[in-house]
């Protein structure tokens, strides 16, 4: 059975309470936001020990950390500071025992040889080197382009440099095929989002819905992950929950049930 984690931000609770809730929901692990929940500069050795103690109290570990920058690494303005902050977050991720750091990388030009893509590749190569030193994997979020386009872009980096945080719901919301994108990106996937979506013809794009109520075929996705001997987590996330704890609980239950032989 693929282990399940909870994005703490989805619970809409203070950190300590969110950890308690995740433990009560019998999640295997959590994802912590290193910009809005815990900041790297606050993680002294005492702070790290305290957080690890709380995790142990609730029988949890950290599956991944997120470091959501306002802009991607394709934007030149303030880029050096953004890269330095991401590297600091990677070091903190390692200190906390997380193996994956997740962020969006920014826009990819459809013209694969575009100069903007070349600059972005240079930055990602630099981040990947630091991630390797830290013992973590930098994982780019999916959703802004289809899986084939992202694969063509990532294939230009040395093998093993960058991972993918596969978000089937975001792909559907943006009008792409989650299944085709997974097939393209399978070798890169190091983290998976438990997030669902449906097309909304009235809005001209998709909308997020509770897990199991959209068009993501999680049974097929899990079968594909198992076939690929995936060793990561599926992280339950709700971007706009009406009833945060209940919806996260329902998502965990749904993903457990479809994994029961």
């Amino acid at each position: 059975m693929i282990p399940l984690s909870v994005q703490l931000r989805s619970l809409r609770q203070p950190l300590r309470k969110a950890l308690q809730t995740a433990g009560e929901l019998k999640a295997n692990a959590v994802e912590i936001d290193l910009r809005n929940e815990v900041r790297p500069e606050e993680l002294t050795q005492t702070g790290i020990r305290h957080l690890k103690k709380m995790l142990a109290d609730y029988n949890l570990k950290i599956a991944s950390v997120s470091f959501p920058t306002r802009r991607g690494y394709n934007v030149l303005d303030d880029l050096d500071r953004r890269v330095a902050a991401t590297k600091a977050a990677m070091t903190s991720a390692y200190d906390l025992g997380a193996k994956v750091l997740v962020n969006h990388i920014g826009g990819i030009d459809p013209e694969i040889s575009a100069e903007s893509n070349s600059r972005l590749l240079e930055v990602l190569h630099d981040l990947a080197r630091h991630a390797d030193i830290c013992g973590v994997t930098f994982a780019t979020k999916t959703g802004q382009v289809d899986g084939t386009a992202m694969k063509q872009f990532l294939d230009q980096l040395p093998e093993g440099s960058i991972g993918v945080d596969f978000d089937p719901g975001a792909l559907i919301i943006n009008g792409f095929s989650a299944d085709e994108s997974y097939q393209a990106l399978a070798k890169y996937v190091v983290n998976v989002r438990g997030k669902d979506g449906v097309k909304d013809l009235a809005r001209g794009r998709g909308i997020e819905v509770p897990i199991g109520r959209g068009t993501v075929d999680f049974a097929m996705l899990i079968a594909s992950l198992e076939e690929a001997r995936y060793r990561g987590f599926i992280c339950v996330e709700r971007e706009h929950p009406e009833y945060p704890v209940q919806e996260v609980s329902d998502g965990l239950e749904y993903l457990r049930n479809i994994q029961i032989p």
Side-chain angles (χ1 to χ4, degrees), residues 39-51:
R39 292 180 177 271
E41 61 268 22
E42 296 169 354
L43 285 173
T44 61
Q45 289 305 308
T46 301
I48 290 168
R49 283 196 299 272
H50 181 62
L51 182 51

Side-chain angles (χ1 to χ4, degrees), residues 197-213:
V198 293
K199 291 179 181 177
D200 186 333
L201 297 177
R203 297 188 186 195
R205 69 191 303 271
I207 56 170
E208 185 199 11
V209 295
I211 298 170
R213 298 187 190 174

Side-chain angles (χ1 to χ4, degrees), residues 19 22-24 26-30 52-61:
L19 287 170
E24 290 170 349
K26 300 286 192 293
N28 302 105
V30 296
K52 285 184 172 179
K53 170 68 166 56
M54 284 196 291
L55 287 160
D57 287 345
Y58 300 120
N59 198 29
L60 295 166
K61 55 185 173 180

Side-chain angles (χ1 to χ4, degrees), residues 209-258:
V209 295
I211 298 170
R213 298 187 190 174
T215 54
V216 176
D217 188 339
F218 280 104
M220 180 186 292
L221 175 58
I222 287 170
S224 297
L225 291 167
E226 289 175 339
E227 186 178 345
R229 300 191 178 183
Y230 173 69
R231 299 191 180 281
F233 291 78
I234 300 177
C235 180
V236 173
E237 173 184 334
R238 288 289 284 127
E239 272 191 59
H240 307 291
E242 189 174 359
Y243 305 103
V245 174
Q246 187 60 53
E247 290 176 32
V248 169
S249 176
D250 290 346
L252 287 167
E253 193 66 21
Y254 177 83
L255 292 171
R256 287 189 190 112
N257 286 340
I258 61 175

Side-chain angles (χ1 to χ4, degrees), residues 109 111-122:
D109 195 299
E111 178 52 57
I112 204 71
S113 60
E115 184 181 345
S116 59
N117 283 349
S118 298
R119 288 197 304 266
L120 179 55
L121 286 167
E122 284 181 24

